[in-house]
Every structure is written in C-alpha cells, then in structure tokens.
Amino acid sequence: MDEDTALTPFRIDIPQADVDDLRDRLARTRWPIPVPGRRDRTDFRRGIPQVYLEELAGYWRDGFDWRAQEAELNAYEQVTTVVDGQTFHVVHARSADPQATPLLLSHGWPGSFVEYQRLIPLLTDAFHLVVPSPPGFGFSTPLSGTGWELARTTDAYAGIMTRLGYGRFAAHGTDLGAGVTGRLAALHPERVIGTHVGADPRWLGLVGDRIPYPDGLSADEIARIEAVRAEDAAGRGYLELQSHRPDTIGPALTDSPVGQLGWIAEHFRSRTAGDDRTPDESVDRDQLLTTISLYWFTRSGASSAQFYYEAEHAGLDLLMPSGVPSGYAVFDTHPLLRRALDPGKAIDHWSEFTEGGHFPAMEVPELLAGDIRTFFSSP
C-alpha cells in the first residue's frame, strides 16, 4: 500500500488542563537543600545555579504567557505529514513572491522550530521557508519506533520538500541540523542549490573527534584548540547520557518541569556567547521558555533524547563531501576554527562574527539573515 502523502493543516492548541497542570507542578516543586555558599546566580561551574533556576521557574509559573506565545506561533502556516510511518510537523512560511527561493531550515537539540521564530520575518521577502521538526521533537511526536537517526531524517526532509512542491531548494542548519544539511547536499546534489551552516567555536571539538588536525599547527595553536575542546567536554554530560541512556533521563524530563527547565536552560548558557551572562540574557526569556514549554507539553524531552542514541549507534560519517556550493557563518568566532575545519579553503563562503553563539537565529537573527542572503544571492 502506498503511503499517504497528505499535508494536514495544523494549529497549536494546548489544552488548558495541561497549562494549569504545568503551573501547579511548578508551584509544588521539591527543591534540593541549597549548598552553603552557592548563591551566585551567574556561577555555572557546577551546572545551573539553583538560585537562578528558582527565579526562572517563578517567572515560568507566574509571568510567562503561553497563550500569547501560542498565538504568535499560529500566525505561520503549519502542516503535519506522515513519512515512513512517522508524523512530521512542518512550519511553512511562504513568501509573497512566487519566484522566491525555497529554503529548508533545520535545527537540533535543545532547539525547536521556535528557534527560527525571529528569523522568519527577516527572510520571507526572498525565501519560502520550511522548518520541519525532527522525529521526537516538538509536534513530530510520538515516535513511531526506533531507528530515526540522521540519515533517515534527511531522506524524510527531502520527501517533505517534494510534497510541498519544491524540486530544488536551498538549505541551512545548525547543530544536528547542520548534519542534515550536509547529507542533503551529498545525497541529493541535483536538488540542493547550496548549503549554509551556522557554526561556533564548539565545532573545534569535532576536529579532534572526527577529523585529523591539519598540518602546520604549532604547539601553541594545538593547545588553544585543546582548551576549547576541554571546556566543551566539561558540559557534555548530557551528550553521554542521551547517547547511551536516554531511557534513564526521559522519565525525569517528562515528570518534572523544573528538571526539563534546568536540563535545557543550562545549555543556553554553555553554548551561547558571553560567560558573564545568564541564558535569558543571551536569548529572549519568553522565546527560551516557549521552547522549553514546547518540550514539556509534547513530552519530547524523552523522545528527542532518543535521536542522540540513534545517531551514536548509526555509524554514520558526520561530514560528507559534495560539490554543492557551501557557506559557513561562524559566530563567537575563534581564530583557529577555519584552519581546523577548512585548511584547504574548500568552503565557498566563510563569514566570521564576534557576536552570537550556538543559537544565532535566537541570539543575532539579523546577522544570520544577512549572511544567508549574501551567500544565496552570490553568483
């Protein structure tokens, strides 16, 4: 039997009982007994400080307006469609220009389609924007089964673009979405106009793990790269747990909103620019809490963790060569990143910005939009 390829209109409408339950759970949080001396809300050396987490949870309970955020998200056309048995949620923001370029925007964890909320209006004059949620993320739930990793997701995204009527398209991605973007170009070069990736210094961790250091680096330069890798490794406990024991952390994220809040908010501190800033000083507080609320309401804290397990055990190459034009926008730039990732300068377009970090669409959407425009308008 052929698969149903229908595109079903979708609107976000979280039951009021779920909104009330969230507030009730937050009000009844069973907090740890504070460790004496741990009262600095900006000291993240041991993880997210409880004093800051209590402050953020209080705002989530009493100040955050989910219905207002829901209404803003519903301003965009959304559909669901089933690919290979899995339901996918897709935001489809069409340009008023019928000749606009289709642009696929892919995100990773702990992001969501909300990540691109402020980027969309900066690009719709020139692009038809398509933002799918990966399997197990947001409204691309529940998971239909095991085996949803990067390669299978990439094939599904290509199928979604076909269903939307886009034979050829451009692609941008960050985090896991950068892997999807690269695989699309490698596997479907006849369809992909170009690929644009948002990166940050944490990519230096990929160099030692996946790619040999280029020749000619001095001992001092290697030491500087290793320092970034060591700093990144200090915050990788989540990666090890989700890659190897997602079923262990899943129930805690599903049952405790403060657990889900801390699990995600801490990563908006460790992955954004500025060591002296709290997560909601790097990105908008309401947009951050909208993302976390989405994980909470859809129970995708548990199901999104499965993606890491599948990726860890799939044995896929992280980077795949292709002849498709490629562009990188590097935020919170590091002087050695290009030498490490692109020693032969094979990447067609390389931009570096001192601002921003791992979530440029949330941190510096104007810079990201400008770089996307520049790259895809180049001859």
Side-chain angles (χ1 to χ4, degrees), residues 3-7 81-84 88 90 104 130 132 148 151-167 169 180 184 188 191:
E3 184 172 62
D4 182 3
T5 60
L7 299 168
T81 192
V82 177
V83 183
D84 195 13
F88 282 83
V90 184
L104 176 70
V130 178
W148 278 104
R152 196 175 174 192
T153 300
T154 299
D155 290 340
Y157 280 15
I160 288 169
M161 295 303 282
T162 299
R163 293 182 189 186
L164 291 172
Y166 301 132
F169 56 90
V180 170
L184 279 168
H188 305 278
R191 297 189 61 188

Side-chain angles (χ1 to χ4, degrees), residues 41-241:
R41 66 192 295 277
T42 65
D43 182 359
F44 280 70
R45 287 175 298 176
R46 302 187 187 201
I48 191 164
Q50 183 172 323
V51 63
Y52 171 71
L53 189 58
E54 289 178 2
E55 172 190 316
L56 197 58
Y59 178 78
W60 195 15
R61 182 187 68 238
D62 298 325
F64 176 72
D65 186 347
W66 166 256
R67 291 302 182 201
Q69 300 302 318
E70 186 179 70
E72 287 190 23
L73 296 174
N74 278 330
Y76 296 113
E77 177 187 350
Q78 300 165 72
V79 298
T80 58
T81 192
V82 177
V83 183
D84 195 13
Q86 173 65 45
T87 295
F88 282 83
H89 171 259
V90 184
V91 173
H92 188 197
R94 304 174 197 256
S95 173
D97 179 3
Q99 302 305 313
T101 301
L103 174 60
L104 176 70
L105 300 174
S106 301
H107 68 81
W109 185 91
S112 72
F113 66 91
V114 176
E115 188 172 330
Y116 291 115
Q117 183 179 8
R118 298 186 173 198
L119 185 71
I120 288 173
L122 302 177
L123 292 176
T124 46
D125 64 321
F127 297 92
H128 300 300
L129 301 174
V130 178
V131 191
S133 295
F137 288 69
F139 296 106
S140 292
T141 49
L143 280 172
S144 62
T146 59
W148 278 104
E149 35 73 270
L150 205 63
R152 196 175 174 192
T153 300
T154 299
D155 290 340
Y157 280 15
I160 288 169
M161 295 303 282
T162 299
R163 293 182 189 186
L164 291 172
Y166 301 132
R168 280 178 55 76
F169 56 90
H172 163 81
T174 57
D175 196 78
L176 296 172
V180 170
T181 299
R183 291 189 71 85
L184 279 168
L187 299 177
H188 305 278
E190 75 288 352
R191 297 189 61 188
V192 179
I193 297 167
T195 62
H196 186 272
V197 167
D200 65 84
R202 292 145 194 88
W203 281 54
L204 287 169
L206 298 177
V207 176
D209 293 341
R210 309 278 184 169
I211 309 169
Y213 285 135
D215 295 333
L217 289 179
S218 68
D220 178 65
E221 288 172 327
I222 292 175
R224 293 171 70 187
I225 292 175
E226 292 294 335
V228 175
R229 289 188 61 209
E231 181 180 357
D232 185 49
R236 284 193 167 204
Y238 81 94
L239 180 64
E240 293 302 317
L241 191 55

